[in-house]
């Protein structure tokens, strides 16, 4: 099977790495890729926001399957264009991808499906903002209604900060979604979906804030771990039954069936799991941890989703271990970042590339905000943490920073789901 992976981050490196170990894969390409994926897959330049460029590349490279990593091409309808060209595609249609592309649409689907989620209100006019904000609080959740790469959300107990963030979004032409605050720890659950059948992967938890102790602004994600030793034994079954399957069924009822990876961001509240958000693709950096534990060959799973045969697949097999991912970010991230800094240790085992490129002289240099994802596994979270931070210590990027507390509270047994 010839597989073309679209994207160039740590998530795509994790996908490419898993596919490269699958004997069913005879050729592998990644576009645009990065310095890490180039060691495993043929690199090609492509504008991921341009569906026609992706189709042209898929045709010329003779891809049997196109696997989409990021959300931008999916929301732009790239998976539709690839399928229209007669090539199998792992990724939802543009209409189904609105589950991530429009938070207001996602709320509408959830309401119709009876899915538990926070109360919400869309504001598209600054004149209505103060009245709307008065309906929420004392903790305000203010979101960009569109795509924001995980950085368009503000959770704050400061009314003035909530108002300022909302006005900034509105001034930029973005509708604002206000939500009630959900208590309890957060979790991410990835589910493979072929339009009707749902197959869950391991639950994970990511870390959005830039600093230790959840300090500082939101980022695209500074680390993750899987599985969740503190989660209820029936968490996955409950989420699939009360959230994912009803959402999938509602999208199918509307004539826009979802095929691909449905990511559910959850708050495990005292009233049960509730949806924070849906994404229409693998999450980054959770993918790096989850795929490190998957023993089932990935290519067959992705192809089964693309061909509507997921129900025929045997149960997934997982390593009886824990995995931890730590993101190494460039100086200044999530603000303006330094680039073109030489990285040492970038080619060590367990180091996945996100924002990197290889110079003509062979040196690997930084080319983005989240530069590397360092991954390690172990018999439990404490062992995996020790291993990953030992690896992080072998990587050097001038001015870089990373969180030192990824999975720490979970390893110490300090996380619990609140009870009613």
């Amino acid at each position: 099977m010839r597989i073309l992976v679209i994207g160039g981050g740590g998530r795509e490196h994790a996908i490419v790495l898993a596919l490269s170990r699958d004997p069913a894969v005879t050729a592998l390409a990644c576009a645009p890729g990065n310095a890490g994926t180039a060691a495993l897959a043929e690199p090609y330049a492509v504008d991921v926001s341009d569906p026609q460029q992706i189709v042209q590349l898929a045709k010329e490279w003779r891809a049997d399957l196109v696997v989409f990593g990021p959300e931008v091409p999916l929301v732009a309808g790239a998976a539709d264009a690839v399928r229209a060209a007669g090539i199998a595609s792992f990724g939802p249609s543009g209409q189904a991808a609105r589950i991530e592309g429009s938070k207001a649409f996602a709320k509408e689907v959830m309401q119709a499906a009876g899915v538990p989620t926070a109360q919400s209100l869309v504001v598209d006019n600054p004149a209505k903002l103060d009245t709307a904000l008065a309906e929420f609080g004392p903790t305000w959740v203010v979101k960009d209604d569109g795509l924001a790469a995980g950085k368009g959300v503000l959770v704050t107990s400061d009314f003035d900060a909530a108002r300022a963030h909302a006005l900034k979004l509105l001034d930029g032409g973005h509708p604002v979604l206000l939500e009630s605050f959900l208590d309890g720890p957060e979790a991410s659950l990835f589910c493979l979906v072929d339009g009707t059948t749902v197959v869950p992967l391991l639950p994970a938890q990511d870390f959005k804030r830039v600093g230790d102790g959840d300090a500082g602004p939101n980022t695209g994600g500074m680390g993750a771990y899987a599985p969740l030793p503190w989660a209820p034994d029936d968490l996955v079954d409950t989420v699939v039954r009360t959230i994912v399957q009803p959402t999938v069924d509602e999208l199918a009822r509307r004539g826009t069936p979802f095929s691909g990876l449905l990511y559910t961001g959850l708050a495990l509240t005292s009233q049960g799991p509730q949806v924070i958000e849906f994404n229409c693709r693998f999450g980054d950096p959770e993918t790096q941890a989850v795929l490190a534990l998957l023993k089932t060959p990935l290519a067959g799973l992705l192809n089964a989703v693309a061909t509507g045969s997921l129900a025929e697949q045997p149960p997934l097999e997982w390593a009886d271990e824990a995995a931890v991912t730590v993101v190494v970010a460039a100086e200044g991230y999530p603000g303006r970042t330094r680039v073109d800094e030489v990285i040492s240790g970038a080619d060590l085992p367990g180091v996945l590339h996100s924002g990197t490129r290889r110079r003509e002289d062979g040196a690997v240099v930084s080319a983005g905000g989240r530069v590397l994802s360092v991954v390690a596994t172990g018999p439990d979270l404490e062992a995996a943490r020790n291993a990953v931070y030992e690896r992080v210590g072998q990587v050097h990027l001038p001015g870089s920073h990373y969180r030192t507390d990824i999975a720490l509270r979970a390893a110490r047994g300090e996380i619990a789901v609140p009870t009613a």
Side-chain angles (χ1 to χ4, degrees):
M1 192 185 313
R2 296 175 60 86
I3 300 181
L4 167 62
V5 177
I6 301 298
R11 161 187 52 215
E12 288 75 30
H13 194 171
I15 292 170
V16 165
L17 181 62
L19 291 172
S20 71
R21 295 169 172 168
D22 189 334
V25 179
T26 55
L28 193 54
C30 187
N34 56 46
T37 61
L40 301 167
E42 300 171 41
Y44 289 92
V46 72
D47 179 355
V48 300
S49 66
D50 186 337
Q52 292 311 310
Q53 279 196 34
I54 294 171
V55 169
Q56 182 177 353
L57 173 60
K59 285 181 174 179
E60 291 178 353
W61 191 73
R62 296 178 291 110
D64 298 312
L65 174 67
V66 177
V67 175
F68 286 93
E71 65 274 19
V72 169
L74 294 169
V75 173
D80 302 276
V82 169
R83 279 188 281 265
I87 301 170
S89 175
F90 178 84
S93 67
Q95 286 295 312
R98 292 178 66 207
I99 200 77
E100 176 173 2
S102 168
K103 293 177 178 62
F105 172 76
K107 288 290 186 180
E108 178 189 318
V109 170
M110 283 186 273
Q111 183 176 13
V115 167
T117 187
Q119 293 182 332
S120 64
L121 181 66
V122 177
V123 181
D124 58 8
N125 187 329
K128 301 176 181 178
L129 180 60
D130 286 352
T131 301
L133 284 169
E135 297 182 23
F136 294 84
T139 299
W140 286 269
V141 181
V142 184
K143 296 183 176 181
D144 187 334
D145 182 52
L147 296 178
K151 290 178 261 186
V153 181
L154 178 69
V155 180
T156 180
S157 57
D158 185 331
F159 176 88
D160 292 336
R163 187 175 187 275
H165 184 64
L167 285 173
K168 181 180 178 181
L169 294 174
L170 290 167
D171 288 346
H174 297 247
V176 169
L177 186 76
L178 302 179
E179 286 188 341
S180 57
F181 178 71
L182 299 175
D183 66 343
E186 295 185 8
S188 305
L189 182 65
F190 298 166
C191 289
L192 298 169
V193 181
D194 68 356
T196 54
T197 300
V198 173
V199 175
L201 306 186
L202 288 179
Q205 186 178 62
D206 76 332
F207 293 73
K208 289 295 187 188
R209 300 281 185 170
V210 70
D212 285 3
D214 291 332
N218 269 345
T219 70
M222 293 299 293
Y225 67 92
L228 309 180
W230 48 266
D233 292 340
D234 63 349
L235 173 65
V236 171
D237 290 342
T238 298
V239 172
V240 170
R241 176 175 50 82
T242 64
I243 292 173
V244 181
Q245 193 70 59
T247 300
V248 169
D249 293 345
E250 174 62 19
L251 287 169
R253 188 190 68 78
R254 291 169 176 241
T256 56
F258 189 98
S259 174
L261 193 290
L262 186 60
Y263 166 125
T264 308
L266 299 159
L268 306 188
T269 77
S270 55
Q271 305 301 314
Q274 296 196 41
V275 177
I276 299 172
E277 65 176 354
F278 284 119
N279 290 334
C280 63
R281 38 69 192 184
F282 279 105
D284 186 334
E286 298 101 318
T287 299
Q288 291 88 306
V290 171
L291 290 188
L293 300 173
L294 180 65
K295 295 174 68 175
T296 301
L298 184 61
L301 289 175
L302 302 186
N303 192 58
V305 170
T307 57
S309 57
L310 192 55
E312 301 169 15
Q313 297 297 303
L316 301 186
E317 294 184 26
W318 298 96
D320 187 19
E321 292 184 305
V324 178
T325 299
V326 176
V327 171
V328 178
E331 182 177 343
Y333 181 79
R336 187 173 181 178
T337 57
R338 287 172 56 181
V339 296
D340 294 325
E341 296 286 350
V342 175
I343 309 164
S344 61
D347 296 324
L348 292 170
V351 177
L352 301 178
H353 292 226
S354 299
T356 66
R357 67 178 183 88
R358 193 175 293 275
R359 286 194 322 211
E360 290 185 3
D361 64 1
V364 176
V365 299
S366 58
R370 291 189 296 169
V371 180
L372 302 169
S373 295
V374 184
V375 187
T377 60
D380 54 32
L381 278 180
E382 183 176 5
R385 267 182 48 81
N386 291 338
V388 78
Y389 281 109
E390 182 179 348
R391 288 182 178 177
V392 170
Q394 298 172 20
V395 174
H396 181 67
L397 168 64
S400 64
H401 60 96
Y402 57 88
R403 286 185 59 158
T404 65
D405 63 347
I406 304 300
L408 178 60
R409 293 186 62 230
R412 289 178 172 173
E414 297 175 355
I415 301 178
V417 177
T419 57

